[in-house]
Amino acid sequence: MDKQTLPLTASVQAWTGGSHFRNLTVNLPALAPGEALATVDLATVCGSDIHTISGRRTGPHPSILGHEAVGRIVSLGVGGAQDFHGRELQPGDRVIWSVTVACGRCDRCRAGVTAKCVDLLKTGHEPLDGDWGLSGGYASHIHLRQGITVVSVPDKVSDAAAAPVACATATVMAVMEAAGPLTGKRVLISGAGMLGIVACAVATHRGASAVHVRDINPDRLALAWEFGATDAAAPNTDRPGLAVDIAVDLSGAAKAVESAFASLDIAGRMVLAGSVSPGPAVSLDPERMVRSLLSVTGVHNYEPKHLQEAMDFVHETRESYQWDALVEEPRALAELPLLMQPPTGRSLRKSVIPTLGTTRRTS
Ligand SMILES: [Zn+2]
Ligand SMILES: [Zn+2]
């Protein structure tokens, strides 16, 4: 796109606190070297945004929420910008971008834990009047600032399949790395929301010998079967003696965490990633942990490589799993306030097409 056709403003749905949003027109930023401007072609509504507007999670406002999205490069700062593989981005390229933007210089970044950078910025969580106002996906355009990870989207991956990769799928890649090798392992997944369904597919794809999924929602259990579960049931139907090598909690429910811990066999490993808002403490028997050689680890956010791995996974498994069927028919940006509630039935994500005033699904 040449300079004459570039828009000068973006249309955004700014979150103004509580459950309130306001449609605003904001100026596009001047791009620094290494930065890019992209359209947002489809944004999906992650559960954490719903937590934010319900007050379970704090965030600055006014701000533009939305951190699961896919779009196209519109313009680039001096010197251009690259995707994860170092390929020079061009106007028109379809891309997704990371949730976190790290400084790359602090002790944590140097130790490879950029997800916990001391100067961390987060996509869809920055104040509108700050120096990264256009940080969220619920807008016609997003400012891809220096330090954000950009991953190219293969042609065969639809917008609906690509958008949730930026949070849900990439986080699951970090979770499953923490879980260790999965070949021949018995795996328990607690919580069959978007992350649980992705985890189910990853465990199956990586050769787990059994994939047990627990959730209270029958629609989600039905999805779990379709995404590779060998056993999907409500938590209270656990047969006595369920023993697994790996337990992954994506529910954040204290009872589910206790039950998952109880199911760990010798040398079992539990990865917690669902507990992202305050909840009751859980008691873990230290003697059992010692004698059974158990380990428990937590995962929050992900590293740049996980975003690329997640896109590769969705691309590689596009024939096996109906990724885009997990996303509801998109709506116009103006309807966003109505979409900020948990999805029901077989839908795991609501979605908006910010650049359109009408409702339709893109490829
Ligand atoms: Zn998210
Ligand atoms: Zn840092």
Side-chain angles (χ1 to χ4, degrees):
M1 191 179 286
D2 64 38
K3 276 201 156 64
Q4 284 72 38
T5 60
L6 282 179
L8 296 173
T9 58
S11 173
V12 314
Q13 274 285 336
W15 174 56
T16 56
S19 57
H20 306 292
F21 289 83
R22 188 180 302 161
N23 185 248
L24 296 175
T25 299
V26 303
N27 290 330
L28 293 178
L31 298 177
E35 297 188 338
L37 179 75
T39 57
V40 179
D41 293 347
L42 183 83
T44 44
V45 178
C46 174
S48 66
D49 278 346
I50 298 169
H51 287 172
T52 299
I53 70 155
S54 68
R56 289 174 66 191
R57 189 166 186 270
T58 58
H61 53 76
S63 65
I64 305 168
L65 301 175
H67 55 271
E68 283 187 349
V70 56
R72 278 165 296 134
I73 298 293
V74 172
S75 58
L76 295 146
V78 173
Q82 294 87 36
D83 72 4
F84 177 79
H85 287 309
R87 192 181 64 82
E88 291 295 331
L89 293 168
Q90 305 292 338
D93 285 352
R94 284 176 77 226
V95 292
I96 58 169
W97 44 89
S98 57
V99 172
T100 57
V101 179
C103 78
R105 297 180 300 276
C106 71
D107 288 349
R108 293 178 190 172
C109 282
R110 287 206 305 270
V113 193
T114 71
K116 294 291 151 183
C117 169
V118 296
D119 287 320
L120 193 72
L121 298 174
K122 292 190 82 173
T123 299
H125 288 290
E126 301 300 324
L128 189 58
D129 59 1
D131 65 359
W132 190 23
L134 217 53
S135 77
Y138 304 142
S140 62
H141 296 77
I142 185 165
H143 176 191
L144 301 178
R145 49 179 297 161
Q146 199 160 33
I148 203 165
T149 304
V150 175
V151 163
S152 297
V153 181
D155 290 344
K156 289 179 177 167
V157 175
S158 68
D159 283 351
V165 168
C167 179
T169 320
T171 301
V172 171
M173 292 298 147
V175 166
M176 295 318 238
E177 181 178 287
L182 296 169
T183 309
K185 298 289 175 64
R186 298 159 296 170
V187 179
L188 168 65
I189 296 163
S190 306
M194 182 62 96
L195 277 81
I197 293 299
V198 173
C200 190
V202 173
T204 304
H205 193 70
R206 293 188 183 170
S209 62
V211 182
H212 305 275
V213 177
R214 296 292 175 265
D215 198 289
I216 54 174
N217 182 326
D219 290 320
R220 294 185 171 193
L221 293 173
L223 279 175
W225 286 110
E226 292 168 31
F227 281 76
T230 55
D231 160 39
N236 60 6
T237 62
D238 266 349
R239 57 194 161 85
L242 178 66
V244 298
D245 306 298
I246 293 164
V248 172
D249 182 73
L250 301 166
S251 73
K255 278 190 175 166
V257 172
E258 282 177 345
S259 166
F261 185 75
S263 72
L264 289 176
D265 206 345
I266 299 297
R269 175 178 288 257
M270 180 159 76
V271 184
L272 304 177
S275 305
V276 288
S277 49
V282 169
S283 69
L284 303 181
D285 176 355
E287 186 197 1
R288 184 166 168 266
M289 200 152 164
V290 169
R291 292 187 185 278
S292 298
L293 314 178
L294 306 181
S295 47
V296 177
T297 186
V299 169
H300 187 225
N301 296 331
Y302 59 82
E303 293 300 316
K305 66 176 179 178
H306 297 122
L307 186 63
Q308 182 67 56
E309 277 177 21
M311 179 53 74
D312 292 345
F313 178 70
V314 166
H315 183 227
E316 201 178 319
T317 60
R318 67 191 183 282
E319 306 286 342
S320 311
Y321 302 117
Q322 293 292 304
W323 293 114
D324 45 13
L326 300 174
V327 177
E328 256 177 47
E329 200 66 22
R331 314 294 288 263
L333 187 59
E335 295 179 64
L336 180 71
L338 304 173
L339 306 181
M340 302 301 280
Q341 49 189 311
T344 54
R346 292 171 56 84
S347 158
L348 299 180
R349 284 289 187 270
K350 294 174 184 289
S351 69
V352 290
I353 297 180
T355 49
L356 289 182
T358 55
T359 299
R360 71 176 176 88
R361 183 185 280 273
T362 55
S363 63

